[in-house]
Amino acid sequence: MEKKKYSMHDFAAEYGLKVEGHTCFGVFCGYRVHVKYRAMGNPSCLLTVVTDTKGRDQILEKYLEKNKKQLKLTNYGVVGIGCMVSPQLYVNIFPQIRDILKKITAYLKKEGFPGAEICPYCGLELGEDKVEMSESGIPFQAHERCFERALSVAKQKEADELAVPDKKLAGFGGACLGALVSCAVFVLLYLWWNFAAISAAVGVLLGGYFYGKLGGKKSWTYVISCALTTLILTLAVFALCVLLQAGTGGSVSGGLLDKIAENLREGSAYRLQFLLNLIFIFVFTLLGSLYNLFLFMRSRKKFSFNITRLQ
């Protein structure tokens, strides 16, 4: 008889955890934990253990680094209110999650890291002055005063960011710099393979990077300037490459353009190469711009949205 698969619901039922969608959370071995698993997620598995790590964060980091292989971790992080680990699991997922959490919580208990009975912000025991809250989607309990302080800090961070001047002109220079790199990459790829449109994505992404580095804020100007500068300059360098490839017979207004037109009419391979480059310059510019748009929309999310009262 086939053995029943041990699922998230089985794991949650065994330890009295609450299940919501692809997550479960509650008190596990004396510590508040949060388990998120989605096979197609990035990462697919993320485990959080809430505790007060202040002053001992490096000790916990050393433990996780030393035991990366045993815990099957691909990534981990330690913050003031706990640790987050991302194990790479393929089969028997939740039995392995259970074992990983047992090892981590056993280490925390052995080293005297406080458990679910304390406020992870201040490290003091929870009393009647407590609230159910979440930070970055991780639910736990904290003193109401600590919750208010954390929310106030997040709002102040938002205000500080808004106060920073938006250097649009310098940012536009960064977008142009990214586009120029795109042009150089285009020429090299065109000489080697006759297909170089992918350089447009390079230009948009690098333009976005330099835009921010030179003081420009993520905005619609950021998205549009990176897209347009890359598109215009890449099309220009593509036209230059086509003209140079056509040879030097005649003037640009006569012989070269006539030769290009003839190649497009009579050379099917040449016509295909020309159209692929032209079409995919627009396609890769769009793809890079969509990623910049994603970064812009994510940057608009307020820090205070990550800290919420649950009751």
Coordinates of all heavy atoms in Angstrom, one line a residue, residues 8 13 22 34-35 40 46-47 60-61 97 127 172 188 196 203 209 240 242 247 255 262 274 276 284:
M8 N 1.7 20.0 3.5 CA 1.7 21.2 4.3 C 0.6 21.1 5.4 O 0.8 21.5 6.6 CB 1.5 22.5 3.5 CG 1.4 23.8 4.4 SD 1.1 25.3 3.5 CE 2.6 25.6 2.7
A13 N -1.1 20.6 10.9 CA -2.0 19.9 11.9 C -1.1 19.3 13.0 O -1.5 19.3 14.1 CB -2.8 18.8 11.2
H22 N -0.4 29.3 0.3 CA 0.8 28.5 0.2 C 1.7 28.7 1.4 O 2.9 28.5 1.4 CB 1.6 29.0 -1.1 CG 0.8 28.7 -2.3 ND1 0.8 27.4 -2.9 CD2 0.1 29.5 -3.1 CE1 0.1 27.5 -4.0 NE2 -0.4 28.7 -4.2
H34 N 7.3 30.9 10.1 CA 6.4 31.1 8.9 C 7.1 30.3 7.8 O 8.2 30.4 7.5 CB 6.4 32.6 8.6 CG 5.6 32.9 7.4 ND1 6.1 32.9 6.1 CD2 4.3 33.3 7.4 CE1 5.1 33.3 5.3 NE2 4.0 33.5 6.0
V35 N 6.2 29.5 7.2 CA 6.7 28.6 6.1 C 5.9 28.9 4.8 O 4.7 29.0 4.8 CB 6.4 27.1 6.4 CG1 6.8 26.2 5.3 CG2 7.2 26.7 7.7
M40 N 6.7 26.6 -8.0 CA 7.1 27.5 -9.0 C 7.5 28.9 -8.5 O 7.7 29.8 -9.3 CB 6.0 27.7 -10.1 CG 5.5 26.3 -10.7 SD 6.9 25.5 -11.5 CE 7.3 26.6 -12.9
L46 N 10.7 29.2 1.5 CA 11.2 30.3 2.4 C 10.8 30.0 3.8 O 9.5 30.0 4.1 CB 10.8 31.7 1.9 CG 11.5 32.9 2.6 CD1 13.0 32.9 2.4 CD2 10.9 34.2 2.1
L47 N 11.7 29.8 4.7 CA 11.4 29.6 6.1 C 11.8 30.7 7.0 O 13.0 31.2 6.9 CB 12.0 28.3 6.6 CG 11.9 27.0 5.7 CD1 12.7 25.9 6.3 CD2 10.5 26.7 5.4
L60 N 24.6 33.8 14.7 CA 23.6 33.0 14.0 C 24.0 32.9 12.5 O 23.8 31.8 11.9 CB 22.2 33.7 14.1 CG 21.0 33.0 13.4 CD1 20.9 31.5 13.8 CD2 19.7 33.8 13.8
E61 N 24.5 33.9 11.9 CA 25.0 33.8 10.5 C 26.1 32.8 10.3 O 26.1 32.0 9.4 CB 25.5 35.2 10.0 CG 24.4 36.2 9.8 CD 24.9 37.6 9.4 OE1 26.2 37.7 9.4 OE2 24.1 38.4 9.0
I97 N 11.3 20.1 5.6 CA 11.1 21.4 6.2 C 11.0 21.2 7.7 O 11.6 22.0 8.5 CB 9.8 22.0 5.6 CG1 10.1 22.5 4.2 CG2 9.3 23.2 6.5 CD1 8.8 23.1 3.5
G127 N 3.6 41.1 27.5 CA 2.5 41.1 28.5 C 1.2 41.4 27.9 O 0.9 40.9 26.8
F172 N 19.2 61.2 -17.0 CA 19.1 61.1 -18.4 C 20.5 60.8 -19.0 O 20.7 60.0 -20.0 CB 18.5 62.3 -19.0 CG 18.4 62.3 -20.5 CD1 17.5 61.5 -21.2 CD2 19.3 63.1 -21.3 CE1 17.4 61.5 -22.6 CE2 19.2 63.0 -22.7 CZ 18.3 62.2 -23.3
L188 N 29.7 44.9 -32.2 CA 30.5 43.7 -32.0 C 29.6 42.5 -32.4 O 30.1 41.6 -33.2 CB 30.9 43.6 -30.6 CG 32.0 44.6 -30.1 CD1 32.3 44.4 -28.6 CD2 33.3 44.4 -30.9
A196 N 22.2 41.3 -33.7 CA 22.7 42.0 -32.6 C 21.6 42.7 -31.8 O 21.9 43.5 -30.9 CB 23.7 43.0 -33.0
G203 N 21.2 47.7 -23.3 CA 21.2 49.2 -23.1 C 20.1 49.7 -22.2 O 20.4 50.6 -21.4
Y209 N 20.3 51.3 -14.7 CA 21.2 51.2 -13.6 C 22.0 52.5 -13.4 O 22.1 53.1 -12.3 CB 22.2 50.0 -13.9 CG 23.4 50.0 -12.9 CD1 23.2 49.5 -11.6 CD2 24.6 50.5 -13.3 CE1 24.3 49.4 -10.7 CE2 25.7 50.4 -12.4 CZ 25.6 49.9 -11.2 OH 26.6 49.9 -10.3
L240 N 23.7 52.5 -39.5 CA 25.1 52.7 -39.9 C 25.8 51.4 -40.3 O 26.5 51.3 -41.3 CB 25.9 53.3 -38.7 CG 27.3 53.6 -38.9 CD1 27.5 54.6 -40.1 CD2 28.0 54.2 -37.6
V242 N 24.3 48.7 -41.5 CA 23.8 48.3 -42.8 C 24.4 49.1 -43.9 O 24.8 48.5 -45.0 CB 22.3 48.5 -42.8 CG1 21.7 48.2 -44.2 CG2 21.6 47.5 -41.8
G247 N 28.9 48.6 -48.5 CA 30.1 48.9 -49.3 C 30.2 50.4 -49.5 O 29.5 51.2 -48.9
G255 N 24.1 55.3 -54.5 CA 24.6 53.9 -54.6 C 24.3 53.0 -53.5 O 23.9 51.9 -53.6
E262 N 18.3 46.7 -53.3 CA 18.4 45.5 -54.1 C 18.6 44.3 -53.3 O 18.1 43.2 -53.6 CB 19.6 45.7 -55.1 CG 19.8 44.6 -56.1 CD 21.1 44.8 -57.0 OE1 21.6 45.9 -57.0 OE2 21.5 43.8 -57.6
F274 N 17.9 41.3 -41.9 CA 17.6 42.7 -41.7 C 16.3 42.8 -40.9 O 16.2 43.6 -39.9 CB 17.4 43.3 -43.1 CG 17.0 44.8 -43.0 CD1 18.0 45.8 -43.0 CD2 15.7 45.2 -42.9 CE1 17.6 47.1 -42.9 CE2 15.3 46.5 -42.9 CZ 16.3 47.5 -42.8
L276 N 14.8 40.5 -38.9 CA 15.0 40.0 -37.5 C 15.7 41.0 -36.6 O 15.2 41.2 -35.5 CB 15.8 38.7 -37.5 CG 15.1 37.5 -38.0 CD1 16.1 36.3 -38.1 CD2 13.9 37.1 -37.1
F284 N 13.3 43.6 -27.8 CA 14.2 43.6 -26.6 C 14.2 44.9 -25.9 O 14.4 44.9 -24.6 CB 15.6 43.2 -27.0 CG 15.9 41.8 -27.3 CD1 16.2 41.3 -28.6 CD2 15.7 40.8 -26.3 CE1 16.4 40.0 -28.9 CE2 15.9 39.5 -26.6 CZ 16.2 39.0 -27.8

